[in-house]
């Protein structure tokens, strides 16, 4: 894949250090590395994270994804001047992240305060082929006479999570007078990480070492002739006790051997190897768009790049954090984002990863069961935020309330239960796309039944009907309501699917069957009113509205909470994000196209979109209503959540779900590729700006490639078995490569309207 | 005291950030605050420390003086430009520490990258009158048009000791929508600190607050008209659970009330109050020198300023750390430096502080007894390094050995036992200067006897004589030797004094008396050879010598350890610091002037002076040999240990002992004021550059003032009782103010030569 886009930073600014450190972060699902500069800046949060490597420092603190010792930082002195882009003059600057292989390159021409110019170029990548491997190379060329260069770099364990230290130094060593190695243990003693580094320097360089104050450092200095580059390649190998069978002594020796082997190969060979892995990944993942707006392709490449970088494919005990492995936002915790916004991409490209993400939940069932029990309920109440153990990790307190001076409690862990049904929804989606009977038998059915049992126990009876009280839907600006539509419908779907799959794969449990049937029969599902509007909850329509223009202009900042308390916001028709609209996205077959439209029109003006999960979903729903251009607008805005101009919107990490939503918006919204009742459906509606779109996907074990223009569909499958697909309202059986004229099939949306047609 | 010198930094340099952060540090013995700039720099170690507030983070780490949450830092944006002296152009810069009252002032004219100039002035002080109080003021004036200023500052608990976090956040609060308060607890739960801050801002300023990632921050922004200053005064109150009867709720409320009271008074009033305390302190402490070299007075003022700043006078449970309260070097631990280099100053100016420093050891007797017992010995083996508990705190490992890749064990805690006798030496000195019978009865005798019992148990019998084996003297480049002269003589003195004072103040313990007498009788005291040289230990003279010129040129850096291993250095005649010379300084009456001279001449060329404790002692001994100008050279060099040009020599804190030694050098060396057998002796020998010197001191409860020129002595006492003083070899009784011509008394040194005379 040589025609991928890239992300370019054209000039250095201290104001956007963290934005670009996030956007350009490296990752291979095992490790994540913020795109920090070699030289340090006070405003820059440096960070390297290892999937699943969490620690809770004390009872009053929250479990965090540990910011590992820093191997990237270099203190560079050029003729006695400390190199920093804040001083002197930056004559030329360019930084580029190549999405093809994740290599980050920076080229700087620096006029130092001493009046001399230096060319300082650096490159780095985290290997996609060897997940523990980080390579970096720096080249310094004096342009105005001979120079003395001094570089101090090594393994810097002064790194913290905002001042919180999680690691004790167990040992720091230098092997063969060249290889640095540090072993660090989490303070609770539960995990270790072993980090090794080697700096290849020119033979004339003078080197020494120091080990002090948590820093194991190699000091390298050399005289360089004018116009001759000084090149240093730093190779690092990072591993941890999360590896199966880890044992400090053996694994630190093995880590050293692995590092030595990599050092022997050199930067270019290692990069080529990594590039190959990336290439084959892009082959089976990339969505290619021919759009009038070049940024559309870049947004898709950006999103997919990060989807690769954030996804731990090496272990079922890891899942995808809300900020991936790019920053400390949300402490590295895992939310419903994974199942609803990220899993679909993997399901359609590498379903084994979707299986692995669901297995993460399965491994964490005991924690979910314990949380349910603690709340006097049955089944599995998955934690709103989870880390390694599956215990509830949501922080108890959030921001300070200036008026009372006290911190406010976080309600999500107490009442935002829809996550439970979202996981069940994903299990169902997984089976539909894979027909993976084994998974369902071993894990899927258990996940469905345990989550269903939770809902059954959570329902309360009011005048004969079952209701779900004191809930929080996806819209977190409306808390502690009864019969949140999203929650009730998803819970119903959860129980229905549990009943279905238990019947299919297991000996039905009579008690459960009876309870489930009763629940499905009696659970209140808020119905559309005369205006086709589904009430978000029992009281929503009775609340006043206010003009939200000002807050929508600053969406993503929660500016409304500066003017109103949470309690006040709760008593108005104000949405943080899609809720009923989200519901119509998740279970589209339950609603008519007219209902979709009416609810979109009603709720969107009341939605600030303060959550990054909101815009793209609106885009898909708008497209499904055949409002393609409105959908495209939403989608373009969703693409800017991280890539837009706000210098601080992603300081503490990428909006992982938003990257998944970029793919969802394109594939579910415009390509119109969805799954319903086990069947693939295609309802293409490309925005005017898009001349064509092509994508690979995987359906029930077979790879499929699809190419769309506004008139033509080309679809290829290598399978001997024909592919069944609904194109508009026609069910087709396709084999090999076929080209079809869309005119024959194009109709307004969609499954539900088809259903209406059918029922007439 | 209005004619004090000051310390001025004329230009900003990123290379000397930590040097000046140390040199210009504020302190009041309770708190210490590094002189960091308001704006952050990656190369700058910020730090605030509270005497006695230690924590050990894990079993593998060392107890550290905790770097407290930062209340000083300010993030300043001027018209969107982040203020840092690294960017733009610094048109004018001046920072001055006023020794009169410890106020630190900085004036900067900054040409920002946006082309606009701003005047940024700031001041700060730690109150000498209210030890918990820190005041700072910043004034920003736009010089090229109206401006928008934004300042973010508050309580920043991301502060660490080189990445080690010691504190958990218990609560962060905002009271009355204005007062910030954070409570933090050490991770082991043993201590708490409460920190409150208030920012007084102009009424037109717009303020908001945030509490995230361990930072409780006030964000202040305002529009300022051209040439109009924007002024913000920040008042902070820092207290801790080390206060007697501390209770979180009550004391955090009291802290808030104290902060409010200070805020009501304002910067200038609070500074005036503090200045008054400083004034009276200078009155009873300052040494005034009329020297041809102006830096002599500055060195003395600098030394005394820091002696005030570093000395915790509020609690007997605290003593003076090797870096005072100015940095993290030696982790805030307490060494023999306190008794030998720092206590004499206090003893001669405020003897109650000397008593308190000795009481610190008395409180820690149980730890010292436990350490002795652990080593199979009796009495009290004080820890080489101690913190709060009196346990041994010396780190187990020091720097890494590049060849083996392993860290090297620190030997001091195992064998550097002379500290025990140094403490006893200080107890004796204390009694001689104060005749404080009560202290001796309650604490002093116990200290003497317990330390004596240690020595008695430590001695080994070799052919009938007692020896002290496997010792390390002050010279740490010679380890694990037998009969280190310094140690043996001081141990002898220790036991002799114990016997003496037990007899004087206590019912003599027969067993102890017998053991002590036997010890004194049989302990081997290395004798001077034909060349009048006292062997440093049993094998020292048998070792080879090398040319040390190169290492002496880089003294203080331990450069020799880059060329030789410790084991190799150990086998040569190489001294880190004064050892036999130190002995002749400590117990001058035991040696003749000729012996002093011979040993000085022999050992000094073999001494690298890699320890800051070395030079000034050589200066005193040289002066006592009537080599005044040589002594003056040593003293001047000693004055440069922190104040010299080396940009990094005091990065991690002031050399506390060296400040004491500056006073010692002047007072014991040139003024020639010493105490021997309970009597005051004066043998003035001023360097040629000194026209006069005057100083106050305290003798047996009475204040005395002394003024010297090369010909004249003026001495005043307010006491009704005549002052007994030996001037040269004449014993005088003085009352009121007397002027004496020195010609009548001046002779070559001194007590011991006097003794020789007498014995003829």
């Amino acid at each position: 894949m040589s025609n991928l886009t890239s992300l370019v930073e054209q000039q250095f600014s201290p104001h956007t250090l963290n934005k670009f450190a996030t956007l350009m972060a490296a990752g291979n699902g095992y490790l994540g590395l913020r795109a920090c500069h070699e030289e340090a800046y006070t405003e820059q949060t440096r960070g390297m994270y290892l999937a699943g490597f969490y620690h809770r420092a004390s009872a009053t603190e929250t479990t965090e994804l540990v910011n590992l010792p820093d191997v990237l930082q270099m203190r560079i002195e050029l003729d006695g001047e400390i190199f920093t882009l804040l001083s002197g003059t930056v004559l030329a600057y360019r930084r580029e992240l190549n999405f093809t292989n994740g290599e980050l390159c920076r080229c700087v021409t620096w006029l130092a305060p001493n009046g001399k110019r230096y060319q300082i170029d650096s490159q780095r990548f985290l290997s996609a082929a060897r997940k523990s491997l980080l390579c970096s190379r720096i080249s310094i060329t004096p342009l105005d006479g001979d120079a003395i260069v001094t570089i101090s770099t090594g393994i810097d364990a002064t790194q913290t999570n905002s001042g919180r230290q999680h690691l004790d130094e167990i040992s720091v060593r230098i092997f063969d007078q060249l290889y640095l190695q540090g072993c660090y243990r989490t303070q609770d003693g539960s995990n270790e990480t072993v980090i090794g580094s080697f700096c290849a320097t020119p033979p004339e360089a003078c080197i020494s070492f120091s080990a002090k104050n948590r820093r194991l450092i190699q000091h390298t200095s050399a005289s360089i002739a004018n116009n001759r580059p000084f090149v240093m390649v730093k190779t690092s190998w990072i591993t941890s006790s999360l590896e199966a069978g880890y044992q400090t002594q053996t694994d630190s020796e093995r880590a050293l051997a692995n590092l030595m082997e990599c050092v022997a190969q050199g930067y270019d060979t290692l990069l080529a190897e990594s590039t190959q892995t990336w290439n084959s990944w892009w082959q089976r993942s990339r969505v290619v768009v021919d759009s009038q707006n070049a940024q559309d392709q870049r947004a898709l490449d950006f999103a997919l790049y990060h989807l690769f970088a954030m996804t731990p494919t090496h272990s079922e005990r890891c899942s995808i954090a809300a900020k991936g492995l790019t920053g400390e936002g949300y402490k590295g915790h895992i939310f419903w984002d994974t199942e609803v916004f990220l899993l679909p991409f993997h399901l359609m490209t590498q379903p084994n990863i979707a299986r692995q993400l669901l297995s993460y939940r399965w491994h964490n069932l005991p924690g979910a069961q314990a949380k349910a029990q603690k709340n006097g309920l049955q089944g599995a109440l998955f934690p709103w935020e989870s880390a390694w153990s599956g215990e509830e990790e949501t922080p108890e307190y959030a921001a300070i309330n200036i008026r009372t001076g006290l911190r406010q409690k976080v309600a999500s862990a107490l009442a935002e239960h829809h996550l439970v049904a979202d996981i069940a929804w994903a299990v169902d989606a997984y089976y539909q796309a894979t027909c993976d009977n084994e998974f369902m038998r071993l894990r899927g059915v258990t996940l469905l039944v345990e989550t269903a049992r939770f809902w059954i126990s959570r329902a309360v009876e009011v005048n004969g009907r079952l209701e779900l009280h004191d809930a929080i839907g996806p819209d977190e600006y409306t808390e502690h309501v009864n019969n949140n539509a999203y929650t009730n419908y998803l819970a119903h779907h959860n129980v229905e699917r549990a009943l279905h799959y238990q019947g299919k794969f297991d000996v039905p449990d009579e008690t459960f069957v009876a309870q489930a049937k009763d629940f499905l029969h009696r659970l209140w599902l808020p119905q559309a009113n005369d205006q086709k509007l589904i009430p978000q909850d029992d009281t929503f329509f009775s609340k006043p509205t206010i003009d939200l223009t000002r807050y929508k202009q600053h969406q993503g900042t929660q500016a409304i909470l500066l003017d109103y308390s949470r309690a006040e916001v709760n008593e108005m028709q104000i949405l943080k994000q899609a809720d009923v609209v989200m519901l119509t996205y998740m279970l589209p077959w339950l609603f008519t196209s007219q209902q979709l439209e009416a609810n979109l029109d009603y709720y969107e003006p009341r939605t600030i979109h303060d959550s990054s999960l909101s815009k793209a979903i609106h885009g898909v729903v708008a497209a499904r209503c055949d409002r393609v251009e409105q959908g495209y607008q939403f989608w373009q805005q969703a693409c800017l959540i991280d890539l837009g101009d706000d210098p601080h919107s992603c300081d503490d990490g990428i909006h992982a779900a938003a990257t998944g939503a970029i793919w969802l918006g394109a594939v579910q919204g415009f390509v119109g590729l969805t799954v319903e009742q086990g069947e693939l459906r295609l309802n293409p509606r490309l925005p005017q700006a898009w001349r064509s779109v092509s994508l690979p996907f995987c359906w029930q074990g077979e790879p499929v490639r699809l190419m769309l223009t506004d008139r033509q569909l080309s679809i290829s499958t290598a399978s001997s078995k024909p592919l069944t697909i609904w194109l508009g309202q026609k069910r087709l059986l396709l084999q090999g490569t076929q080209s079809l004229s869309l005119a024959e099939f194009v109709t307004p949306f969609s499954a539900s309207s088809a259903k209406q047609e059918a029922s007439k």
Side-chain angles (χ1 to χ4, degrees), chain A:
Chain A
M1 287 258 164
S2 57
N3 60 341
L4 263 86
T5 60
S6 66
L7 190 62
V8 177
E9 188 190 32
Q10 297 283 8
Q11 64 178 40
F12 172 82
S13 163
H15 291 284
T16 52
L17 281 166
N18 286 317
K19 179 188 181 73
F20 281 94
T22 292
L23 292 181
M24 293 184 157
N28 59 21
Y30 179 79
L31 284 168
L33 180 73
R34 285 174 64 75
C36 292
H37 297 282
E38 280 78 8
E39 68 282 2
Y41 294 94
T42 55
E43 304 259 326
Q44 179 171 267
T45 305
R46 308 187 70 83
M48 180 165 72
Y49 312 95
L50 198 149
F53 200 87
Y54 294 96
H55 180 248
R56 186 177 188 183
S58 80
T60 59
E61 301 203 11
T62 308
T63 300
E64 292 183 310
L65 188 63
V66 175
N67 196 340
L68 296 180
D70 189 348
V71 289
L72 201 69
Q73 188 168 320
M74 296 186 177
R75 185 184 184 280
I76 302 169
E77 262 192 48
L78 300 170
D79 295 311
E81 297 281 352
I82 300 167
F83 171 57
T84 164
L85 295 174
L86 292 171
S87 76
T89 308
V90 181
L91 300 176
Y93 179 91
R94 183 185 164 84
R95 197 152 62 131
E96 181 169 10
L97 172 64
N98 188 345
F99 291 138
T100 309
N101 58 5
E103 192 187 30
L104 181 69
C105 303
R106 185 179 76 163
C107 296
V108 173
T109 315
W110 187 53
L111 174 62
N114 64 11
K116 290 174 73 175
R117 290 171 308 140
Y118 305 88
Q119 182 66 32
I120 301 151
D121 298 338
S122 61
Q123 298 138 279
R124 78 177 73 132
F125 67 94
L126 267 175
S127 172
R130 309 184 194 212
K131 301 276 177 151
S132 288
L133 175 64
L134 166 65
C135 293
S136 67
R137 175 158 65 187
I138 186 159
S139 158
I140 298 175
T141 312
L143 303 177
D144 291 312
D146 301 350
I148 307 282
V149 56
T150 308
I151 300 181
S152 295
T153 188
I155 305 169
D156 182 348
T158 65
Q159 199 65 274
T160 66
N161 292 63
S162 295
R164 165 51 66 199
Q165 181 55 252
H166 293 288
L167 299 173
D168 290 341
E169 216 176 40
I170 314 173
S171 74
V172 288
R173 289 284 302 270
I174 298 170
F175 292 95
D176 297 351
Q177 299 188 43
L178 286 170
Y179 293 86
L180 313 182
Q181 191 180 75
C183 299
Y184 309 89
R185 188 180 293 148
T186 52
Q187 283 208 281
D188 65 3
S190 66
N191 277 314
E192 291 179 16
T193 177
V194 179
I195 301 180
S197 272
F198 174 86
C199 296
T201 53
E204 68 275 17
C206 172
I207 65 173
S208 66
F209 300 89
S210 63
K212 203 183 166 191
N213 293 335
R214 304 178 64 87
R215 289 186 186 94
L216 178 62
I217 303 289
Q218 175 172 330
H219 308 276
T220 307
S221 61
S223 304
I224 346 170
N226 189 28
N227 280 314
R228 294 287 296 272
F230 168 89
V231 178
M232 187 165 103
V233 175
K234 185 171 182 183
T235 314
S236 300
W237 187 269
I238 299 106
T239 185
S240 90
S241 58
L242 299 178
E243 308 290 322
Y246 173 91
Q247 196 269 332
T248 308
Q249 182 68 21
T250 330
D251 280 71
S252 59
E253 284 167 14
R254 188 180 305 137
L256 181 65
N258 286 331
L259 174 62
M260 288 174 169
E261 193 207 318
C262 292
V263 166
Q265 299 200 32
Y267 187 95
D268 294 321
T269 308
L270 294 164
L271 177 60
E273 179 191 57
S274 172
T275 303
Q276 214 165 21
T277 305
W278 271 104
N279 270 343
S280 56
W281 185 82
W282 279 115
Q283 288 291 350
R284 59 172 180 265
S285 312
R286 191 174 183 221
V287 180
V288 180
V289 175
D290 180 8
S291 170
Q292 286 163 20
N293 301 313
Q295 64 269 31
D296 290 354
Q297 181 64 57
R298 199 191 56 165
L300 280 160
D301 286 346
F302 167 81
L304 268 62
Y305 165 81
H306 276 290
L307 283 163
F308 176 90
M310 72 177 67
T311 305
T313 58
H314 58 287
S315 164
E316 287 184 350
R317 299 307 305 260
C318 297
S319 184
I320 310 172
K323 300 288 186 185
L325 295 165
T326 63
E328 290 162 43
Y330 296 115
K331 313 284 185 193
H333 295 172
I334 292 136
F335 294 71
W336 68 305
D337 307 35
T338 306
E339 281 78 9
V340 173
F341 292 85
L342 299 167
L343 182 137
F345 163 77
H346 295 296
L347 184 53
M348 295 303 270
T349 52
Q350 283 185 271
N352 59 314
I353 297 176
R355 177 188 171 123
Q356 181 214 304
L357 296 171
L358 293 171
S359 293
Y360 166 81
R361 296 295 186 182
W362 182 80
H363 285 293
N364 289 341
L365 257 176
Q369 287 163 329
K371 187 180 172 187
Q373 199 170 19
K374 205 175 147 195
N375 283 271
L377 299 168
Q378 293 172 16
L381 171 50
F382 279 96
W384 177 244
E385 301 184 22
S386 72
W388 179 262
S389 71
E391 281 168 39
E392 181 59 75
E393 305 283 8
T394 307
E396 202 176 344
Y397 294 98
I400 210 158
N401 180 317
I402 306 304
R403 298 184 210 181
T404 62
L406 295 168
R407 286 190 152 182
Q408 294 168 292
K409 282 235 178 193
V410 176
S412 302
L414 309 174
E416 198 161 352
H417 291 163
H418 62 83
L419 155 90
V420 173
D422 300 331
I423 292 170
W425 176 89
V427 171
D428 176 49
Y430 174 72
Y431 182 73
Q432 292 196 38
T434 61
C435 298
D436 181 348
N437 295 327
E438 188 205 13
F439 175 78
M440 292 307 282
R441 264 196 303 272
L442 296 176
R443 300 176 172 182
V445 173
T446 308
L447 277 169
L448 285 164
V449 171
E450 284 302 287
T451 48
R453 289 182 64 232
F454 162 73
W455 290 116
I456 293 166
S457 71
R458 194 196 189 285
V460 290
E461 189 175 324
V462 179
N463 300 326
R465 78 181 188 190
L466 295 178
E467 301 191 353
L468 295 172
H469 287 184
D470 190 23
I472 306 175
D475 163 31
E476 290 170 334
Y477 284 170
T478 311
E479 294 179 348
H480 305 299
V481 291
N482 294 345
N483 298 313
N484 169 262
Y486 180 92
T487 307
N488 284 28
Y489 274 92
L490 266 290
H492 190 277
H493 177 252
N494 185 347
V495 175
E496 189 276 322
R497 293 283 86 189
L499 201 57
H500 169 76
Y501 287 106
Q502 191 185 56
K504 190 175 166 82
F505 289 106
D506 210 349
V507 183
D509 168 341
E510 290 306 325
T511 317
F512 173 71
V513 169
Q515 286 176 337
K517 285 186 172 166
D518 178 59
F519 179 88
L520 293 174
H521 179 63
R522 292 203 293 150
L523 181 70
W524 169 238
L525 295 175
Q527 295 298 303
N529 65 12
D530 293 348
Q531 290 85 48
K532 304 190 175 63
L533 299 178
I534 295 155
Q536 184 172 315
D537 57 62
D538 282 359
T539 55
F540 190 84
F541 285 156
S542 68
K543 293 174 179 175
T545 58
I546 59 167
D547 178 13
L548 295 178
T549 316
R550 203 152 73 80
Y551 306 112
K552 284 173 89 95
Q553 277 161 1
H554 297 95
Q555 56 196 211
T557 65
Q558 307 205 1
I560 191 141
L561 296 179
L562 300 176
D563 295 339
Y564 298 94
S565 72
R566 277 197 170 264
E568 288 164 342
V569 169
N570 206 41
E571 295 310 313
M572 295 186 283
Q573 292 195 21
I574 298 173
L575 280 75
K576 186 179 176 189
Q577 68 196 84
D579 197 297
V580 169
V581 171
M582 185 82 206
L583 165 62
T584 64
Y585 160 77
M586 295 281 281
L587 308 172
W589 55 85
L590 297 178
F591 307 99
T592 65
S593 165
Q594 291 76 17
Q595 284 174 338
L596 260 62
E597 220 168 339
N599 284 286
L600 184 66
D601 285 342
Y602 182 82
Y603 283 106
E604 200 285 326
R606 290 161 172 81
T607 303
I608 301 180
H609 301 293
D610 269 346
S611 163
S612 64
L613 309 179
S614 193
K615 275 280 169 69
I617 298 303
H618 278 77
V620 174
V621 173
R624 286 178 180 172
C625 302
D626 270 329
R627 296 183 180 181
V628 181
E629 295 312 311
Q630 186 191 15
Y632 184 53
Q633 272 180 25
F634 278 125
W635 185 79
Q636 285 187 305
Q637 288 162 16
C639 289
L640 296 178
I641 284 168
D642 290 317
L643 288 170
D645 291 333
D646 184 332
H648 297 297
S649 61
C650 60
D651 279 1
D652 60 358
I654 208 83
H655 290 86
T659 63
I662 290 174
W663 182 89
L664 286 177
V667 175
Q668 297 206 2
F670 308 133
V671 174
L673 188 70
T674 52
V675 178
E676 234 172 83
Q677 294 174 311
E679 293 193 300
L680 205 55
R681 291 175 178 272
L682 191 66
N683 285 286
R685 7 178 154 61
L686 299 197
Q688 294 220 324
W690 287 19
R691 286 176 288 261
S692 73
V693 55
S694 75
L695 73 152
F697 65 90
C698 199
W699 177 247
Q700 296 183 345
E702 301 297 339
V704 185
R705 183 161 283 279
L706 185 152
M707 164 82 174
L708 265 176
T709 64
D710 58 342
R711 281 178 288 183
Q712 207 68 20
L713 164 69
S714 160
I715 193 159
S716 311
T717 162
S719 172
S720 55
K721 199 177 69 178
L723 170 75
T724 309
I725 188 164
W726 285 81
L727 187 55
Q729 286 156 53
K730 296 202 181 148
R731 190 165 185 271
L732 307 173
L733 290 173
L734 306 175
Q735 226 167 351
T737 299
Q738 299 217 15
S739 267
L740 303 164
S741 164
L742 286 177
E744 296 177 44
F745 306 95
V746 166
T747 54
F749 179 71
S750 88
S752 48
S753 30
K755 220 177 291 169
Q756 283 187 300
E757 295 287 325
S759 68
K760 268 180 195 169

